[in-house]
């Protein structure tokens, strides 16, 4: 599904190397987790995969089902099935959440040569999926993420994911700022989407989220590289001992 | 003070090319008075304080600059709105294309027709608000209009108008030079809505004087759109009585040059005046100027000015807005916001917001911002699969939404939103 080889990334504006040779393969239907200390490059990896400006790939490659991602525009990557749930969801004053969702869904349908959903059909699906995430009508009407609480923003990301039905979902610290109940809601939302053809890359700082979304593989990222890969037990090790031991071990 | 030579020459040349109507009837005195006033003050030149951001040359030249005729494939914005439709072609009334001028709650007649009489109720209105509106800022193009207007509508609402009056201005000639004048009297308790659309002419000078009596209300919505090359100088002069309401909204796309002036005097307590507008423009030739002057001369009145401009590719947008609160106009609530959204680094938004307050118990605020589109929001939308152009349009509409919300009638607002979306999709089309 997702294949990243020797990915090197620096900031466009500065001579600062952030990713220093990331190698990662996520197979179809699997859940991979990336853990790592702050500043290790986790968000940068997710931004570069989704096509954000400001980064320069100096070496390496990334592909989705064999298709080179790095040459595509962000909207083309989305149409190819890539989705990023943002660590910091963006507020868009003046654009209603519902309008935003419908524009996105229809844009993707259009790019795949499918007919746009009628307003009525769309509404029905949104309401149903919003309900399981405890997103009420008011949140759907309000401008995208404006005045949303941290938890509301994250649930809104998962709603977008549920509506767009991507095959490769990257979740960047979706657990940060969530209380226990919200964490459960979000995890259930994610788990409901798990399927054979859909893969997840769950970026998180803490083991907590991985109790709910059980990963198949856990990677530790430090200083722009994947420094260790293992099973779910690796997350527990981090939880108990912190990153220091692992980092010392790989030095 | 002696006028600069260039002003004298410009004025002389322009006035010599115009002639007063042969039989002006009841308008005669006002027209002659206007002619001597405009001769005395002179037409605007670029050096004038109130024309610093907008070059008036093309508005005062003897001949209009030729403007190609634009045929809209979308039809008139208000073409399918339930209205009394009135049509002027190149500034000339088109009886064939117009509905009969009868409407419940309102009397409507043509200025040109009315001049066969020597006495008319509108005599106290014609030129009166324009004259009052010359102080403290001169508006000579409006005075020229008083002298030389060839036609227009005289509207008197004595009750609630059964439907809006829609004036459609068509252009068929590349060199048409139209001067029109509307007079609107809204009697106590009455209500009327005036809609306007279309390019009108290669060059268009239009003035509307509106007297809104106690508890009356006047709504005005105008679409100046897609008529790529026309030049227009418009002015609205309004006087508001007690507990009355005046609301005017203008949407503009393209047009080489637009100067929209609105001059409002709140003379009765508890009245409200809202003026708003959006414009989208592209290209070096695009120049759009909103110049608004609202005077509070009564207690507890509310005024709002909300203007938004989207500019790209060397376009220029201008906003000059003033709130003047006179002594004794206590409890005034004045609000003014003007914002420019620049879609590239080459466009200009020039704003001159002004507040002048002589009462001590008032709440007035004004703000002006100018910025680029939010790149992070664009990226967010694109990451959801929305192409860049569509994302830009969506954010542009979002930017303009606040101004469009000023329109009370939701059906009309929706009509304008739909048209705006079309204009945005193919701004050059
Ligand atoms: N646009 C940027 N400008 C400056 N520094 C950046 C930028 N993006 C990332 N960085 C730096 O790159 C490093 C990795 O950041 P990030 O990818 O956000 O880490 P993580 O998500 O693992 O906490 C940090 O040192 C961060 O400060
Ligand atoms: Mg991060």
């Amino acid at each position: 599904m997702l294949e990243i080889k020797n990915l090197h990334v620096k900031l466009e504006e500065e001579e600062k190397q952030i990713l220093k040779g990331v190698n990662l393969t996520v197979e179809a239907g699997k859940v991979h987790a990336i853990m790592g200390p702050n500043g290790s490059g986790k968000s940068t990896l997710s931004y570069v995969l989704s096509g954000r400006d400001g980064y320069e790939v100096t070496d390496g490659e990334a592909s989705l089902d064999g298709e080179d991602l790095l040459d595509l525009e962000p909207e083309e990557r989305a149409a190819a099935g890539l989705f990023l749930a943002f660590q910091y969801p963006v507020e868009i004053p003046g654009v209603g959440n519902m309008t935003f969702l419908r524009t996105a869904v229809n844009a993707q349908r259009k790019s795949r040569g499918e007919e746009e959903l009628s307003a009525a059909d769309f509404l029905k699906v949104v309401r149903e999926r919003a309900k399981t995430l405890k997103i009420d009508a008011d949140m759907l009407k309000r401008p995208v993420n404006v005045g949303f609480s941290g938890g509301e923003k994250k649930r809104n990301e998962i709603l977008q994911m549920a509506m767009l039905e991507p095959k490769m979902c990257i979740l960047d610290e979706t657990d940060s700022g969530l209380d226990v109940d919200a964490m459960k809601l979000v995890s259930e939302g994610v788990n409901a989407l798990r399927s054979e053809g859909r893969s997840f890359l769950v970026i998180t700082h803490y083991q907590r989220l991985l109790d709910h979304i059980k990963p198949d593989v856990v990677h530790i990222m430090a200083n722009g590289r994947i420094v260790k890969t293992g099973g779910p037990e690796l997350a527990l090790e981090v939880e108990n001992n912190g990153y220091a031991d692992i980092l010392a071990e790989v030095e | 003070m002696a006028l600069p030579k260039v002003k004298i020459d410009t004025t002389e040349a322009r006035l010599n090319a115009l002639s007063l109507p042969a039989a002006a009837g009841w308008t005669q005195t006002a027209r002659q008075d206007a002619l001597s006033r405009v001769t005395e003050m002179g037409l605007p030149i670029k050096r004038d304080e109130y024309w610093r951001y907008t070059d008036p040359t093309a508005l005062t030249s003897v001949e209009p600059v030729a403007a190609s005729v634009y045929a809209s494939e979308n039809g008139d914005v208000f073409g399918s709105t339930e209205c009394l439709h009135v049509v002027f072609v190149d500034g000339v009334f088109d009886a064939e294309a117009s509905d009969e001028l009868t409407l419940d709650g309102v009397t409507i007649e043509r200025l040109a027709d009315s001049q066969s009489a020597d006495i008319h109720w509108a005599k106290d209105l014609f030129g009166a608000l324009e004259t009052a509106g010359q102080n403290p800022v001169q508006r000579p193009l409006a005075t020229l209009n008083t002298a030389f207007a060839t036609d227009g509508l005289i509207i008197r609402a004595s009750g609630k108008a059964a439907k809006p009056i829609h004036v459609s201005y068509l252009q068929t000639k590349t060199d048409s030079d139209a001067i029109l004048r509307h007079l609107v009297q809204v009697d106590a308790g009455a209500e009327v809505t005036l809609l306007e659309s279309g390019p009108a002419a290669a060059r268009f000078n239009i003035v509307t004087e509106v007297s809104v009596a106690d508890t009356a209300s006047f709504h005005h919505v105008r679409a100046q759109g897609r008529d790529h090359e026309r030049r227009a100088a418009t002015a609205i002069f309004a006087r508001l009585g007690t507990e009355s309401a005046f609301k005017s909204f203008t949407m503009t796309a393209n047009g080489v040059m637009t100067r929209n002036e609105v001059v409002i005097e709140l003379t009765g307590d508890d009245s409200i005046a809202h003026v708003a507008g959006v414009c989208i423009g592209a290209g070096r030739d695009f120049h759009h100027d909103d110049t608004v002057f609202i005077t509070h001369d009564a207690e507890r009145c509310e005024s709002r000015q909300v203007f938004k401009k989207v500019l790209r590719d060397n376009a220029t947008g201008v906003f000059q807005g003033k709130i003047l609160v006179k002594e004794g106009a206590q409890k005034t609530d004045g609000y003014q916001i003007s914002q420019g959204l620049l879609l590239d680094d080459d466009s200009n938004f020039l704003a001159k917001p002004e507040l002048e307050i002589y009462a001590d118990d008032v709440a007035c605020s004004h703000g002006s911002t100018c910025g680029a589109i939010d790149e992070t929001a664009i990226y967010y939308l694109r990451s959801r699969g929305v192409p860049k152009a569509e994302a830009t349009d969506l954010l542009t509409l979002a930017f303009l939404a606040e101004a469009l919300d000023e329109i009370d009638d939701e059906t009309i607002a929706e009509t304008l939103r739909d048209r705006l979306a079309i204009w945005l999709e193919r701004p050059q089309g």
Side-chain angles (χ1 to χ4, degrees):
Chain A
M1 170 81 55
L2 180 67
E3 193 149 14
I4 303 168
K5 281 189 203 149
N6 193 32
L7 191 65
H8 285 72
V9 171
K10 69 180 265 295
L11 292 177
E12 214 166 56
E13 306 268 292
E14 292 172 45
E15 286 312 314
K16 180 170 176 178
Q17 197 73 30
I18 301 175
L19 300 185
K20 302 165 182 167
V22 174
N23 289 290
L24 181 67
T25 303
V26 183
E27 309 80 7
K30 299 290 185 207
V31 176
H32 283 225
I34 297 185
M35 302 182 76
N38 274 332
S40 56
K42 305 182 297 294
S43 289
T44 301
L45 176 63
S46 69
Y47 286 145
V48 169
L49 291 174
S50 78
R52 187 174 193 152
D53 279 347
Y55 302 99
E56 189 184 324
V57 176
T58 51
D59 200 4
E61 51 198 79
S63 62
L64 186 64
D65 277 342
E67 187 174 8
D68 183 2
L69 279 177
L70 301 178
D71 274 349
L72 301 179
E73 298 293 338
E75 58 270 30
E76 294 170 328
R77 301 179 195 207
L82 185 81
F83 180 90
L84 168 63
F86 282 51
Q87 179 174 5
Y88 305 107
V90 179
E91 299 184 4
I92 314 184
V95 177
N97 209 11
M98 193 72 108
T99 306
F100 174 77
L101 281 167
R102 193 145 84 93
T103 307
V105 167
N106 281 333
Q108 293 208 14
R109 291 180 73 93
K110 207 165 138 191
S111 75
R112 290 193 296 262
E114 295 167 14
E115 282 216 9
E116 295 192 357
L117 277 184
S118 76
D121 285 348
F122 175 80
L123 209 63
K124 201 172 145 250
V125 184
V126 167
R127 288 219 175 108
E128 189 187 292
R129 299 195 181 162
K131 203 171 151 200
T132 59
L133 286 161
K134 294 220 163 77
I135 291 175
D136 59 16
D138 183 53
M139 249 177 85
L140 289 172
K141 238 184 276 161
R142 273 152 59 190
V144 181
N145 293 325
V146 178
F148 285 26
S149 70
E152 285 174 336
K153 284 182 180 171
K154 297 300 174 77
R155 276 185 280 148
N156 203 35
E157 293 290 292
I158 303 304
L159 175 63
Q160 292 168 36
M161 191 165 88
M163 290 304 298
L164 294 169
E165 301 179 340
K167 60 185 178 194
M168 182 68 233
C169 310
I170 304 173
L171 280 66
D172 189 1
E173 301 214 19
T174 299
D175 52 338
S176 66
L178 294 188
D179 60 25
V180 181
D181 291 337
M183 171 107 66
K184 235 180 128 223
L185 262 181
V186 164
S187 311
E188 281 165 11
V190 172
N191 287 329
L193 288 169
R194 288 183 70 162
S195 76
E196 259 177 46
R198 184 171 289 135
S199 310
F200 291 85
L201 187 59
V202 180
I203 297 170
T204 179
H205 206 65
Y206 303 103
Q207 138 76 15
R208 239 174 21 150
L209 181 69
L210 303 179
D211 283 341
H212 299 282
I213 307 173
K214 299 255 178 328
D216 299 297
V217 182
V218 175
H219 308 273
I220 306 296
M221 188 161 182
N223 195 17
R225 278 190 203 96
I226 305 281
V227 294
K228 191 165 183 182
T229 296
E233 73 287 348
L234 191 51
L236 284 172
E237 197 184 320
V238 170
E239 183 72 4
N240 295 333
N241 307 330
Y243 290 109
D245 288 356
I246 297 172
L247 297 188
E249 177 189 321
V250 300
E251 277 300 291
Chain B
M1 203 177 69
L3 299 180
K5 184 165 184 322
V6 51
K7 195 184 260 286
I8 293 170
D9 292 347
T10 304
T11 307
E12 250 184 38
R14 176 69 175 134
L15 296 185
N16 284 341
L18 292 162
S19 48
L20 292 175
W26 65 275
T27 67
Q28 176 102 24
T29 325
R31 288 177 186 275
Q32 239 138 20
D33 173 64
L35 179 56
S36 54
R37 282 187 294 124
V38 70
T39 308
E40 198 177 320
M41 73 177 112
L43 290 173
I45 55 172
K46 182 105 175 72
R47 250 187 286 160
D48 294 348
E49 172 73 15
Y50 257 59
W51 290 88
R52 190 183 293 164
Y53 301 132
T54 299
D55 185 349
T57 308
L59 299 171
T60 59
S61 60
V62 174
E63 297 295 334
V65 183
S68 59
V69 175
Y70 172 68
S72 165
E73 71 230 53
N74 301 300
D76 196 297
V77 176
F78 302 118
S80 49
T81 307
E82 171 71 7
C83 296
L84 179 113
H85 297 282
V86 182
V87 180
F88 287 86
V89 180
D90 296 304
V92 179
F93 179 72
D94 184 340
E96 197 96 317
S98 300
D99 292 340
E100 208 171 308
L101 302 184
T102 54
L103 182 63
D104 278 355
V106 188
T107 60
I108 308 168
E109 62 188 307
R110 285 176 49 207
L111 174 66
D113 287 347
S114 76
Q115 292 174 139
S116 58
D118 286 326
I119 296 173
H120 198 283
W121 64 262
K123 194 167 176 181
D124 292 340
L125 185 54
F126 183 64
L129 299 193
E130 175 264 300
T131 304
Q134 298 295 334
N135 191 13
V137 179
Q138 290 185 342
R139 304 169 199 281
L141 287 171
T143 313
L144 178 133
N145 183 294
T146 302
F148 298 106
T150 56
D151 206 350
L153 298 180
I154 305 178
I155 297 167
R156 180 163 195 163
S158 50
K160 192 173 182 319
K163 53 187 176 182
I165 298 163
H166 169 217
V167 188
S168 178
Y169 308 104
L170 306 181
Q171 180 202 350
T172 62
K173 297 182 187 141
T174 55
D175 62 348
S176 48
D177 192 13
I179 306 179
L180 293 179
R181 177 59 149 267
H182 300 314
L183 303 170
V184 183
Q185 165 73 47
V186 193
D187 288 339
E191 280 175 36
V192 68
T193 297
L194 177 67
L195 308 176
E196 296 179 280
S197 59
R203 180 167 67 185
F204 192 29
N205 177 325
I206 179 154
V207 172
T208 304
E209 285 170 303
V210 187
S211 172
V212 190
D214 297 352
T215 70
S217 83
F218 175 74
H219 285 241
H220 174 239
V221 180
R222 172 165 62 175
Q224 306 169 308
R226 279 258 168 119
D227 17 277
H228 298 297
E229 294 173 5
R230 62 105 186 102
R231 290 172 165 80
T234 80
I236 298 172
F237 295 90
R239 183 176 55 202
L240 274 68
T242 304
E243 288 176 37
S244 68
F246 169 99
K247 295 190 178 184
S248 175
F249 181 89
T250 302
M251 180 168 102
T252 311
N254 302 345
V256 170
M257 150 82 73
T258 310
R259 163 91 160 200
N260 291 330
E261 296 198 20
V262 179
V263 182
I264 298 172
E265 205 173 350
L266 296 146
T267 61
D269 294 341
D270 301 294
S271 55
I272 61 172
H274 292 185
V275 197
V278 303
C279 99
I280 52 174
R284 186 173 298 282
D285 289 339
F286 181 88
H287 188 104
H288 188 280
D289 174 333
D290 281 298
T291 292
V292 181
F293 198 114
I294 297 182
T295 304
H296 284 259
D297 197 8
E299 292 189 17
R300 295 178 305 277
C301 293
E302 174 197 309
S303 73
R304 282 174 70 80
Q305 301 173 46
V306 179
F307 287 89
K308 305 246 191 177
K309 295 174 197 275
V310 180
L311 306 163
R312 63 182 172 87
D313 196 14
N314 288 292
T316 302
V318 176
F319 173 77
Q320 307 186 95
K322 179 154 181 171
I323 306 173
L324 169 63
V325 181
K326 289 200 171 171
E327 203 179 328
Q330 301 297 8
K331 307 278 182 204
T332 284
D333 179 0
Y335 174 76
Q336 181 198 90
I337 180 88
S338 64
Q339 296 184 304
L341 174 64
L342 307 182
L343 295 183
D344 54 41
D345 294 336
D346 307 319
S347 300
N348 290 298
F349 176 63
L350 308 161
K352 187 178 163 201
E354 289 180 282
L355 274 178
E356 198 177 325
I357 301 175
Y358 297 101
D360 51 21
D361 184 13
V362 303
C364 283
S365 63
H366 68 51
S368 183
T369 67
C370 179
I373 206 144
D374 180 351
E375 287 300 335
T376 310
I378 292 275
Y379 160 62
Y380 190 52
L381 276 154
R382 295 179 78 189
S383 80
R384 288 345 182 205
V386 182
K388 191 176 183 187
E390 203 181 325
T392 305
D393 288 354
L394 192 66
L395 294 186
T396 302
L397 279 174
F399 167 77
L400 298 175
E402 186 194 357
L404 281 149
D405 287 346
E406 295 290 314
I407 303 171
D408 278 355
D409 185 317
E410 197 41 45
T411 313
I412 290 173
E414 216 34 56
T415 304
L416 290 192
R417 280 190 199 103
D418 291 348
R419 186 54 62 110
L420 196 56
I422 294 173
W423 286 351
L424 280 176
E425 257 172 42
R426 288 165 296 159
Q428 298 302 337

